[in-house]
Amino acid sequence: MNFIENLKKEEYENFVKNHKLKSHFLQSYAWGEFSKKSKNLIPHYVGLVDSENNIKATALLLEKKLPFGYSYLYSPRGFVIDFYDVDLLTEFVGKVKRFAKKRKAIFVKIDPDIIWHEENYLGETVQLEKDPKLVFDSLVKLGFKHLGFTKNFETMQPRYTFRIDMNQSFEEIENKFSKTTKQRINKACELGTTVRIGTIDDIPTFSHLMDLTEVRKDFVSHDLNYYKSLYEIYNKDNKMDLFIGSVNTKKVISLYTDEKKQVETMLVDIHKKESLSKSSKTKKLELEKRLKKLDEYIREYQDAMDKYQEEIILNGHVIMEYGDKAWVLYAGNHNILMSSYSNYKTYFEHIKYCYDNGIKMYDQFGTIGDLSSDNPRLGLHEFKKKFGGNYVEFIGEFDLITNQFVYFVFNKLVPIYRNFIKRRAKSAKKKQ
């Protein structure tokens, strides 16, 4: 079979988008273009073609230039191949390795979304169709080094996620939501929170929401141009949808004020009674407690309206759609008016949207494997878990090393460099 170093866009996209096993937006042609513009990476769209010119395997290889003419190649969630076809995999890896050496790449990194372990929403182990250990063993025999079964976000892409199988009725999907999630979605609806699909004009607001989330969740978000480029490039041929969740503070204040009047009237009626039964006393305490809570809500929304405006955007979620799959790539949320549960409503709406538009697999794009109580990411995990998706663990990262010495030096220096960049990025944002 022939190895093609730069497949044409149309044939590459047609193969990747329709591959039954390994279709992924991170292997799309658009992701290569975006990585070139926003990350200064060189995209290579390589493939293996048989004698009849049929494509059998592809990979988006993102080349990162290093000092002294070296580089490394990264195939995010790649390769696009049947990993269980050992002969095909062996031939493709051999050709990719030769290509890497020609580019002076010291290693080729892959992190295929091959499921290593899966549990349903009840915590029961899901029987996988094929044994992933077969793939693991094949990659190791071909010279790949497995980088471990990491538990947090140490890798290029998350090792854990939650996925919702859309090949069921929407009623079945909703029934797997936790009880509190259903209640909070209903509450958000009662308060009149709204969700719409935004445009590129909403990107600055979304970028601001990501900055606010960065402060709370302790990660480094991207700048405005990064998100603009993603929107522009990915919406040329594929699809990126920006879901915007909002609340109208004036309407909420009006709702709570009306309820307050009703509670006050009920309390007056109770006070008119000469003697109170046990149930009446209990009811009185409940109403007084509710009245106090309503006052707190009214003050909270009034303060928000005074500080911001009547209609406040609280959530911005980016959904990447590719073929019949979708991923929640980014979720930025305001740090006010949490009691509106607008975030829950926004999640509900893009789950429903994906279902209505023929998406078969909805991926929440990242959670943790370390579920200890002191893990600062546990709250993120518990939130995503509430939507009833399957808890999925992927096989992990593998490096195909082509220059052992430089690879050793690289792995010693890169963690130091990345920590420096992270600290510098945070420091720069604080000064803005």
Side-chain angles (χ1 to χ4, degrees), residues 327-340:
W327 294 261
V328 187
L329 183 58
Y330 299 117
N333 302 294
H334 215 306
N335 51 12
I336 61 169
L337 304 181
M338 303 295 188
S339 62
S340 70

Side-chain angles (χ1 to χ4, degrees), residues 221-375:
S221 63
H222 302 286
D223 62 20
L224 175 61
N225 289 330
Y226 176 97
Y227 298 119
K228 278 187 174 180
S229 295
L230 179 63
Y231 189 94
E232 290 169 344
I233 291 173
Y234 212 81
N235 274 316
K236 283 192 296 184
D237 302 305
N238 301 293
K239 198 170 185 183
M240 165 186 157
D241 278 321
L242 175 59
F243 284 77
I244 299 295
S246 305
V247 65
N248 187 297
T249 53
K250 189 174 181 180
K251 289 181 180 178
V252 175
I253 291 169
S254 178
L255 285 169
Y256 281 136
T257 301
D258 288 344
E259 185 182 350
K260 181 182 175 181
K261 290 176 181 177
Q262 294 173 6
V263 171
E264 288 174 334
T265 299
M266 293 169 74
L267 278 169
V268 169
D269 290 341
I270 288 177
H271 288 148
K272 287 179 180 179
K273 297 179 180 179
E274 293 184 3
S275 61
L276 299 178
S277 63
K278 186 177 180 180
S279 61
S280 294
K281 288 178 181 179
T282 301
K283 183 67 173 178
K284 176 175 175 291
L285 289 173
E286 290 175 351
L287 290 171
E288 288 173 342
K289 185 178 179 180
R290 181 58 182 168
L291 189 62
K292 183 179 179 181
K293 198 66 180 176
L294 288 168
D295 283 333
E296 291 175 2
Y297 286 147
I298 291 168
R299 282 195 300 271
E300 179 186 12
Y301 282 86
Q302 186 63 58
D303 290 345
M305 186 166 65
D306 293 342
K307 186 175 181 179
Y308 298 99
Q309 56 195 25
E310 187 175 307
E311 186 81 18
I312 302 176
I313 293 176
L314 298 177
N315 320 98
H317 297 178
V318 166
I319 312 300
M320 307 297 287
E321 297 156 50
Y322 191 68
D324 60 357
K325 301 175 183 176
W327 294 261
V328 187
L329 183 58
Y330 299 117
N333 302 294
H334 215 306
N335 51 12
I336 61 169
L337 304 181
M338 303 295 188
S339 62
S340 70
Y341 300 120
S342 177
N343 192 28
Y344 284 82
K345 177 74 180 300
T346 306
Y347 258 95
F348 173 81
E349 290 297 338
H350 48 71
I351 292 172
K352 184 69 164 62
Y353 173 87
C354 288
Y355 181 85
D356 289 342
N357 283 274
I359 294 297
K360 301 302 181 185
M361 189 279 294
Y362 171 96
D363 189 319
Q364 290 183 278
F365 207 75
T367 185
I368 53 175
D370 171 16
L371 304 182
S372 55
S373 59
D374 60 347
N375 191 329

Side-chain angles (χ1 to χ4, degrees), residues 29-30 65 69 72 105 133 229 253 384 405:
Y29 202 94
K65 289 294 185 179
Y72 71 81
K133 195 174 184 303
S229 295
I253 291 169
K384 292 184 175 183
F405 175 74

Side-chain angles (χ1 to χ4, degrees), residues 412-428:
K412 289 294 182 183
L413 295 178
V414 164
I416 299 171
Y417 175 73
R418 283 178 176 167
N419 285 332
F420 169 73
I421 292 296
K422 185 176 180 180
R423 289 196 302 270
R424 189 174 69 176
K426 285 190 174 183
S427 177

Side-chain angles (χ1 to χ4, degrees), residues 153 161-162 328 347 364-367 379-389:
F153 291 101
T161 192
F162 284 101
V328 187
Y347 258 95
Q364 290 183 278
F365 207 75
T367 185
L380 170 72
H381 176 87
E382 292 299 324
F383 174 80
K384 292 184 175 183
K385 180 181 179 180
K386 291 176 181 177
F387 288 90

Side-chain angles (χ1 to χ4, degrees), residues 47-301:
L48 200 60
V49 180
D50 66 14
S51 57
E52 296 180 355
N53 213 34
N54 296 312
I55 298 175
K56 295 299 181 180
T58 64
L60 167 61
L61 300 174
L62 299 174
E63 182 179 4
K64 172 68 175 179
K65 289 294 185 179
L66 301 173
F68 309 111
Y70 293 108
S71 69
Y72 71 81
L73 299 173
Y74 172 45
S75 186
R77 292 306 190 213
F79 308 126
V80 183
I81 191 173
D82 180 356
F83 277 87
Y84 290 92
D85 187 333
V86 178
D87 291 339
L88 181 63
L89 182 64
T90 300
E91 183 164 359
F92 190 57
V93 169
K95 298 286 176 62
V96 168
K97 190 173 183 178
R98 282 196 285 275
F99 176 78
K101 286 182 175 180
K102 189 169 74 172
R103 305 291 303 182
K104 283 192 73 175
I106 61 175
F107 67 93
V108 180
K109 182 184 291 293
I110 64 172
D111 48 15
D113 58 340
I114 293 171
I115 297 174
W116 185 254
H117 180 75
E118 183 174 2
E119 296 175 0
N120 64 20
Y121 76 111
L122 296 173
E124 301 165 338
T125 298
V126 175
Q127 184 65 43
L128 303 177
E129 290 184 11
K130 295 182 179 181
D131 184 0
K133 195 174 184 303
L134 296 174
V135 175
F136 186 99
D137 291 342
S138 293
L139 291 173
V140 171
K141 286 179 182 177
L142 289 170
F144 280 91
K145 176 185 177 183
H146 186 246
L147 301 187
F149 293 103
T150 55
K151 295 292 185 180
N152 291 293
F153 291 101
E154 303 95 334
T155 48
M156 300 286 276
Q157 307 300 333
R159 271 202 70 236
Y160 294 83
T161 192
F162 284 101
R163 282 182 165 181
I164 297 176
D165 178 9
M166 298 294 205
N167 294 295
Q168 53 186 318
S169 71
F170 195 73
E171 183 180 7
E172 288 175 301
I173 293 173
E174 279 188 288
N175 285 339
K176 292 173 184 174
F177 292 177
S178 72
K179 182 179 178 180
T180 55
T181 297
K182 294 174 186 176
Q183 291 171 340
R184 288 171 179 178
I185 292 170
N186 289 337
K187 184 63 177 179
C189 293
E190 290 173 10
L191 295 179
T193 59
T194 58
V195 181
R196 61 179 173 84
I197 295 180
T199 67
I200 196 168
D201 294 333
D202 292 297
I203 294 292
T205 300
F206 167 73
S207 181
H208 175 62
L209 291 171
M210 288 299 297
D211 288 341
L212 292 174
T213 307
E214 171 190 357
V215 174
R216 294 197 311 276
K217 302 296 184 181
D218 189 30
F219 69 92
V220 178
S221 63
H222 302 286
D223 62 20
L224 175 61
N225 289 330
Y226 176 97
Y227 298 119
K228 278 187 174 180
S229 295
L230 179 63
Y231 189 94
E232 290 169 344
I233 291 173
Y234 212 81
N235 274 316
K236 283 192 296 184
D237 302 305
N238 301 293
K239 198 170 185 183
M240 165 186 157
D241 278 321
L242 175 59
F243 284 77
I244 299 295
S246 305
V247 65
N248 187 297
T249 53
K250 189 174 181 180
K251 289 181 180 178
V252 175
I253 291 169
S254 178
L255 285 169
Y256 281 136
T257 301
D258 288 344
E259 185 182 350
K260 181 182 175 181
K261 290 176 181 177
Q262 294 173 6
V263 171
E264 288 174 334
T265 299
M266 293 169 74
L267 278 169
V268 169
D269 290 341
I270 288 177
H271 288 148
K272 287 179 180 179
K273 297 179 180 179
E274 293 184 3
S275 61
L276 299 178
S277 63
K278 186 177 180 180
S279 61
S280 294
K281 288 178 181 179
T282 301
K283 183 67 173 178
K284 176 175 175 291
L285 289 173
E286 290 175 351
L287 290 171
E288 288 173 342
K289 185 178 179 180
R290 181 58 182 168
L291 189 62
K292 183 179 179 181
K293 198 66 180 176
L294 288 168
D295 283 333
E296 291 175 2
Y297 286 147
I298 291 168
R299 282 195 300 271
E300 179 186 12
Y301 282 86

